[in-house]
Amino acid sequence: MSSSQSLLSKKDIARELIRCGKEPVYFIDTYCRISHPIRGIISFKTWDFQKKLLQDYKDYPFNIILKSRQLGVSTLTAAYCSWLMLFHREKSIMVIATKFKVAANLVRKVKSIIKNLPSFFEQLTQIQADNKTSFSLTNGSQIDAGSKATDVGRSEALSLLVIDEAAHVENMSEVWTAAGPALSAGGRCIALSSPKGVNNWFHDKYTKAEASLNEFHPTKLSWEVHPERTGNWEQEERKKYSTKQFSQEYEANFLASGDTLVETVMLEAIAKSLKHPIAKGGFDGGLWIWERRKQSYNYMAVADVARGDGLDYSTAQILNIETMEQVAEYRGKAETDVFARFLYEVGIEYGNAMMIVENNSLGFEVCKKLDEMKYPNLYWSEKGSHDYVPPYQAMRLENVVPGFTMSVKTRPWVINKFDEYMRNSLVIINSERTYDELTTFIWMNGKVEAQKGSNDDLVMSLALACWVRETALKEMSRGLEYKKTFLKSMIVTRSGLNTTIPGQQEYDRKLSIFKSNRMAEIEELQRQKRLFGIYKG
């Protein structure tokens, strides 16, 4: 206690306690002291953004804070918990974090703040039980540390649930489910965290809070809110981190915080260029259309067939081969025969689009049905090498299968080509559904796949489209152009041999035009071009 505080009269002390009970900012700025790693025990002086946050804690039952690093939000929350316990009876607080040790650390901050208050605060209440990860006061208020759903579930009722680094708690959905009954009697919640990718509990709750779609009040705290962080500070920090790392650590960027295949800058650019479909259709409304077929262009349709367990979708991407722009997209759940018929109709609608179906599992059934329906431009591949085989050749070969086989061998090829196309902005994405999958298409244990709880069916269809365009279609184009050049270099004779000699009857000079094998090859070349709608790039 300072000398000025020791001279306070009983009347002054009563006045101070009343004011502290009404104003948590005054209580913290005037009496709370915290532990500094270098300076030791120091007074806690709140900044403007912290004052605003304290007011939000009072005004809103549920708060969710997306924050930059090292803004003192956890310490501020500990000070708020101290205020709540001291000036309110029978308050039960639970702190949940990534690990039990992290939750216990916030509890220790609360305990330290209360123990370092001036002695006259003991008139309010005193510490009754003091354990390593919990403690309680004589007024009935208590705080405990936890790290899992069962810790929350054991509480009959909670006055406040604090979730520290909520985006990093793996079982957060379970924690929140368990918290429902415990908070049902008027309990409050403070969820704070730096970002960790998208499509997790924290991202879902925060983005919905921004759209006023749930009970949470959102607050975003980037590095600029800190009054001691200037432009010079930013320049120095940016030297230490990559652009993505700085955006994650200090700008509270959800996209930058995930280890996505597609870079954050590209994802942000795609998000700005998304378009609403001009029409929706299909047997179930799952077909989105951005552009109808144009006679001057060629198209491809790439399909991925759902496993049939209800966890993923059957998808199809229809792209303009020349521009690689999404012109249509399908996502839904359909039986194989229905999906095959749908693909047939869509392919015909887009000028006999080259139809590439991933033939794993149920996809092979779809390929067979398309072949039975005699779809005119079905993708075939050679077993083992996975090389593309044109339909007119596939009819004469045995070592071929309809569709593309995605395997341990071919998947990295497809992903690498897709990565190249995305880095060089060679694909135009119009669909919000595809974009959402891109934000959760991440590196995990050395592989690129959908984040847990997410899907990548649309993305893999798009990736396969890039692979086919770069390999099969380019090879076919080069082969046909080579044939065309080779055949043009040959001379085709159109006159017959005059065998007239003296003494013989004159041979008829009106000879029919000789149709050589070379001319037949030219006609076959033209047929192929009409059939395949070849890639012109």
Side-chain angles (χ1 to χ4, degrees), residues 303-326:
D304 184 13
V305 185
R307 295 188 300 269
D309 56 10
L311 298 178
D312 59 357
Y313 295 90
S314 289
T315 61
Q317 297 279 12
I318 297 87
L319 296 108
N320 180 318
I321 291 176
E322 283 79 6
T323 64
M324 283 302 282
E325 179 174 2
Q326 269 187 320

Short mmCIF file of all heavy atoms in Angstrom, two decimals, residues 303-326:
data_model
loop_
_atom_site.label_atom_id
_atom_site.label_comp_id
_atom_site.label_asym_id
_atom_site.label_seq_id
_atom_site.Cartn_x
_atom_site.Cartn_y
_atom_site.Cartn_z
N ALA A 303 -15.18 -34.44 -63.01
CA ALA A 303 -16.09 -34.88 -61.96
C ALA A 303 -15.40 -35.75 -60.93
O ALA A 303 -14.52 -36.55 -61.25
CB ALA A 303 -17.26 -35.64 -62.57
N ASP A 304 -15.81 -35.57 -59.68
CA ASP A 304 -15.36 -36.39 -58.56
C ASP A 304 -16.60 -37.00 -57.93
O ASP A 304 -17.53 -36.26 -57.55
CB ASP A 304 -14.59 -35.53 -57.55
CG ASP A 304 -14.00 -36.35 -56.41
OD1 ASP A 304 -13.98 -37.58 -56.52
OD2 ASP A 304 -13.58 -35.76 -55.41
N VAL A 305 -16.66 -38.31 -57.82
CA VAL A 305 -17.86 -39.00 -57.35
C VAL A 305 -17.73 -39.30 -55.87
O VAL A 305 -16.70 -39.79 -55.40
CB VAL A 305 -18.08 -40.31 -58.13
CG1 VAL A 305 -19.40 -40.96 -57.71
CG2 VAL A 305 -18.09 -40.03 -59.63
N ALA A 306 -18.78 -38.99 -55.11
CA ALA A 306 -18.77 -39.20 -53.66
C ALA A 306 -18.59 -40.67 -53.32
O ALA A 306 -18.99 -41.56 -54.08
CB ALA A 306 -20.07 -38.68 -53.05
N ARG A 307 -17.96 -40.91 -52.16
CA ARG A 307 -17.69 -42.29 -51.74
C ARG A 307 -18.98 -43.05 -51.43
O ARG A 307 -19.01 -44.26 -51.45
CB ARG A 307 -16.81 -42.30 -50.49
CG ARG A 307 -15.42 -41.74 -50.71
CD ARG A 307 -14.56 -41.97 -49.47
NE ARG A 307 -15.11 -41.34 -48.30
CZ ARG A 307 -14.81 -40.10 -47.92
NH1 ARG A 307 -13.99 -39.38 -48.64
NH2 ARG A 307 -15.33 -39.59 -46.83
N GLY A 308 -20.03 -42.33 -51.08
CA GLY A 308 -21.29 -42.99 -50.76
C GLY A 308 -21.55 -43.10 -49.27
O GLY A 308 -22.56 -43.66 -48.85
N ASP A 309 -20.63 -42.56 -48.42
CA ASP A 309 -20.82 -42.66 -46.98
C ASP A 309 -21.45 -41.40 -46.39
O ASP A 309 -21.58 -41.26 -45.18
CB ASP A 309 -19.49 -42.94 -46.28
CG ASP A 309 -18.41 -41.89 -46.60
OD1 ASP A 309 -18.76 -40.86 -47.21
OD2 ASP A 309 -17.25 -42.12 -46.25
N GLY A 310 -21.81 -40.44 -47.24
CA GLY A 310 -22.48 -39.24 -46.77
C GLY A 310 -21.57 -38.16 -46.25
O GLY A 310 -22.03 -37.10 -45.84
N LEU A 311 -20.24 -38.41 -46.26
CA LEU A 311 -19.31 -37.43 -45.70
C LEU A 311 -18.80 -36.44 -46.73
O LEU A 311 -18.27 -35.40 -46.38
CB LEU A 311 -18.12 -38.16 -45.05
CG LEU A 311 -18.46 -39.08 -43.88
CD1 LEU A 311 -17.20 -39.77 -43.38
CD2 LEU A 311 -19.12 -38.29 -42.75
N ASP A 312 -18.90 -36.80 -48.02
CA ASP A 312 -18.43 -35.90 -49.05
C ASP A 312 -19.49 -35.74 -50.13
O ASP A 312 -20.58 -36.31 -50.05
CB ASP A 312 -17.09 -36.37 -49.63
CG ASP A 312 -17.19 -37.76 -50.24
OD1 ASP A 312 -18.28 -38.37 -50.14
OD2 ASP A 312 -16.19 -38.24 -50.79
N TYR A 313 -19.16 -34.96 -51.16
CA TYR A 313 -20.11 -34.63 -52.21
C TYR A 313 -19.62 -35.14 -53.55
O TYR A 313 -18.41 -35.28 -53.78
CB TYR A 313 -20.29 -33.12 -52.31
CG TYR A 313 -20.91 -32.47 -51.11
CD1 TYR A 313 -20.14 -31.99 -50.06
CD2 TYR A 313 -22.30 -32.31 -51.03
CE1 TYR A 313 -20.72 -31.39 -48.96
CE2 TYR A 313 -22.89 -31.70 -49.93
CZ TYR A 313 -22.09 -31.24 -48.90
OH TYR A 313 -22.67 -30.64 -47.82
N SER A 314 -20.56 -35.40 -54.44
CA SER A 314 -20.21 -35.57 -55.84
C SER A 314 -20.12 -34.18 -56.43
O SER A 314 -21.00 -33.33 -56.20
CB SER A 314 -21.28 -36.40 -56.58
OG SER A 314 -21.23 -37.75 -56.18
N THR A 315 -19.05 -33.93 -57.18
CA THR A 315 -18.82 -32.58 -57.70
C THR A 315 -18.44 -32.63 -59.16
O THR A 315 -17.98 -33.66 -59.68
CB THR A 315 -17.69 -31.88 -56.92
OG1 THR A 315 -16.47 -32.63 -57.08
CG2 THR A 315 -18.01 -31.76 -55.44
N ALA A 316 -18.60 -31.49 -59.81
CA ALA A 316 -18.14 -31.35 -61.20
C ALA A 316 -17.77 -29.90 -61.44
O ALA A 316 -18.48 -28.99 -61.00
CB ALA A 316 -19.24 -31.78 -62.18
N GLN A 317 -16.66 -29.71 -62.10
CA GLN A 317 -16.21 -28.38 -62.52
C GLN A 317 -16.25 -28.33 -64.04
O GLN A 317 -15.69 -29.19 -64.71
CB GLN A 317 -14.78 -28.11 -62.04
CG GLN A 317 -14.59 -28.10 -60.54
CD GLN A 317 -15.00 -26.78 -59.90
OE1 GLN A 317 -15.64 -25.94 -60.53
NE2 GLN A 317 -14.61 -26.59 -58.65
N ILE A 318 -16.95 -27.33 -64.58
CA ILE A 318 -16.98 -27.14 -66.02
C ILE A 318 -16.20 -25.86 -66.33
O ILE A 318 -16.52 -24.80 -65.78
CB ILE A 318 -18.43 -27.04 -66.56
CG1 ILE A 318 -19.18 -28.36 -66.31
CG2 ILE A 318 -18.42 -26.75 -68.06
CD1 ILE A 318 -19.84 -28.48 -64.99
N LEU A 319 -15.17 -26.00 -67.17
CA LEU A 319 -14.27 -24.88 -67.42
C LEU A 319 -14.10 -24.62 -68.91
O LEU A 319 -14.13 -25.55 -69.72
CB LEU A 319 -12.90 -25.13 -66.80
CG LEU A 319 -12.89 -25.24 -65.28
CD1 LEU A 319 -12.65 -26.67 -64.87
CD2 LEU A 319 -11.83 -24.34 -64.67
N ASN A 320 -13.92 -23.35 -69.23
CA ASN A 320 -13.52 -22.95 -70.56
C ASN A 320 -12.05 -23.34 -70.72
O ASN A 320 -11.20 -22.87 -69.98
CB ASN A 320 -13.70 -21.44 -70.70
CG ASN A 320 -13.32 -20.92 -72.07
OD1 ASN A 320 -12.32 -21.32 -72.64
ND2 ASN A 320 -14.11 -19.98 -72.58
N ILE A 321 -11.75 -24.21 -71.68
CA ILE A 321 -10.39 -24.73 -71.79
C ILE A 321 -9.38 -23.64 -72.10
O ILE A 321 -8.27 -23.62 -71.57
CB ILE A 321 -10.33 -25.83 -72.88
CG1 ILE A 321 -11.09 -27.07 -72.40
CG2 ILE A 321 -8.88 -26.20 -73.20
CD1 ILE A 321 -11.18 -28.17 -73.43
N GLU A 322 -9.76 -22.70 -72.96
CA GLU A 322 -8.81 -21.65 -73.34
C GLU A 322 -8.52 -20.69 -72.21
O GLU A 322 -7.37 -20.33 -71.97
CB GLU A 322 -9.34 -20.87 -74.56
CG GLU A 322 -9.19 -21.58 -75.88
CD GLU A 322 -10.25 -22.65 -76.11
OE1 GLU A 322 -11.18 -22.78 -75.29
OE2 GLU A 322 -10.14 -23.37 -77.10
N THR A 323 -9.54 -20.24 -71.47
CA THR A 323 -9.35 -19.22 -70.43
C THR A 323 -9.22 -19.82 -69.04
O THR A 323 -8.81 -19.12 -68.11
CB THR A 323 -10.54 -18.26 -70.42
OG1 THR A 323 -11.74 -18.98 -70.06
CG2 THR A 323 -10.73 -17.61 -71.80
N MET A 324 -9.57 -21.08 -68.87
CA MET A 324 -9.60 -21.76 -67.57
C MET A 324 -10.47 -21.01 -66.57
O MET A 324 -10.14 -20.89 -65.39
CB MET A 324 -8.19 -21.97 -67.03
CG MET A 324 -7.45 -23.11 -67.71
SD MET A 324 -8.31 -24.71 -67.60
CE MET A 324 -7.93 -25.20 -65.93
N GLU A 325 -11.58 -20.52 -67.02
CA GLU A 325 -12.55 -19.87 -66.15
C GLU A 325 -13.67 -20.85 -65.82
O GLU A 325 -14.16 -21.57 -66.70
CB GLU A 325 -13.13 -18.62 -66.80
CG GLU A 325 -14.18 -17.94 -65.91
CD GLU A 325 -14.68 -16.62 -66.47
OE1 GLU A 325 -14.24 -16.25 -67.58
OE2 GLU A 325 -15.50 -15.96 -65.81
N GLN A 326 -14.08 -20.85 -64.57
CA GLN A 326 -15.25 -21.63 -64.16
C GLN A 326 -16.48 -21.09 -64.86
O GLN A 326 -16.83 -19.93 -64.68
CB GLN A 326 -15.47 -21.49 -62.65
CG GLN A 326 -14.80 -22.51 -61.77
CD GLN A 326 -15.24 -22.34 -60.33
OE1 GLN A 326 -15.38 -21.22 -59.84
NE2 GLN A 326 -15.46 -23.42 -59.62
#
